[in-house]
Amino acid sequence: MSGLFAHVVWGDVAIATSETLVMLAASLLLTILSGVPLGVLLFLTDRGQLAERAWLNRLAGLVVNVLRSIPFVILLIVMIPVTLRIVGTSLGVAGAIPPLVVAAAPFYARLVEQALRDVPRTTIEAAQAMGATRWQIVTKALLPEALPGLVSGATVTAVALVSFTAMAGVVGAGGLGDLAIRYGYQRFQTDVMLVTVVLMVVLVQLIQYGGDQLARRLDHR
């Protein structure tokens, strides 16, 4: 076994794994906190919805589509000045989080919008008939009804963020991606590359399984 993984320093693997988990957790939390309001905005301002505003919907949609169309590696580089201003560095775990959020939040916002569209129209009409305000309709009817879809969307987003964290290793963000690039690719240490790939596959499987189970429990239909 030691010969098979001769180049693997397990202490470095443990550190890289913890860095990936920190990047994933922090960026996913911030993505949800920013993606949900943006998705709600896209839904509410669309044609025939509670706060129909064509110009605002088109503007929000344009911003979302532009950000989603930028390849993540390019976004990492373009955002370096912004990242420096926000966290003081463009390297390491902290330097990776702002571009991770900017890349993932528009993606999640579209999933939130779709989850809200899947809520039956009768749910909104029933809340309106009881005299609920727009805020109450969103917080007490729409979001609770859409919760399984929101969880499923967060799961898909988390899986995408795992691959984003790996790409962030290109600019020295740390984590398993950085380990794979510095040792597995640049030094031709295939065993290191294999270990990092296996760990990322396991991480994705755990995220997908956990998210699916939670979404099923929340779905009472």
Side-chain angles (χ1 to χ4, degrees), residues 118-134:
D118 290 339
V119 175
R121 183 72 185 183
T122 53
T123 301
I124 300 176
E125 294 171 350
Q128 288 176 317
M130 291 186 291
T133 64
R134 187 182 301 166

Side-chain angles (χ1 to χ4, degrees), residues 6-208:
H7 300 107
V8 178
V9 179
W10 295 105
D12 291 344
V13 172
I15 292 173
T17 302
S18 65
E19 289 175 342
T20 293
L21 292 175
V22 169
M23 279 191 286
L24 177 61
S27 58
L28 180 61
L29 175 61
L30 294 173
T31 293
I32 292 173
L33 291 177
S34 54
V36 169
L38 183 54
V40 171
L41 176 67
L42 288 167
F43 173 76
L44 290 180
T45 57
D46 200 6
R47 182 184 304 174
Q49 299 302 337
L50 296 174
E52 181 179 345
R53 297 287 189 280
W55 67 270
L56 182 56
N57 185 267
R58 285 195 292 267
L59 178 61
L62 176 64
V63 172
V64 166
N65 292 337
V66 168
L67 290 175
R68 288 179 62 194
S69 66
I70 303 174
F72 182 65
V73 173
I74 296 176
L75 185 65
L76 278 169
I77 299 170
V78 170
M79 280 196 62
I80 286 177
V82 178
T83 303
L84 284 171
R85 183 172 293 273
I86 294 174
V87 298
T89 179
S90 63
L91 302 175
V93 172
I97 291 175
L100 284 171
V101 175
V102 170
F107 176 75
Y108 184 58
R110 285 298 188 189
L111 297 178
V112 171
E113 180 188 15
Q114 185 57 53
L116 294 174
R117 290 186 187 279
D118 290 339
V119 175
R121 183 72 185 183
T122 53
T123 301
I124 300 176
E125 294 171 350
Q128 288 176 317
M130 291 186 291
T133 64
R134 187 182 301 166
W135 173 256
Q136 289 172 330
I137 292 173
V138 172
T139 58
K140 303 296 185 182
L142 277 173
L143 290 178
E145 284 292 320
L147 193 54
L150 298 180
V151 171
S152 295
T155 302
V156 174
T157 304
V159 170
L161 279 169
V162 172
S163 66
F164 288 167
T165 61
M167 285 187 280
V170 174
V171 293
L176 291 170
D178 179 59
L179 194 69
I181 291 170
R182 285 193 296 116
Y183 293 94
Y185 175 69
Q186 294 178 347
R187 302 185 186 183
F188 304 102
Q189 296 177 355
T190 307
D191 50 352
V192 177
M193 181 71 77
L194 178 62
V195 168
T196 56
V197 169
V198 168
L199 286 173
M200 296 190 78
V201 168
V202 170
L203 179 58
V204 166
Q205 295 302 314
L206 290 174
I207 291 171
Q208 190 67 58

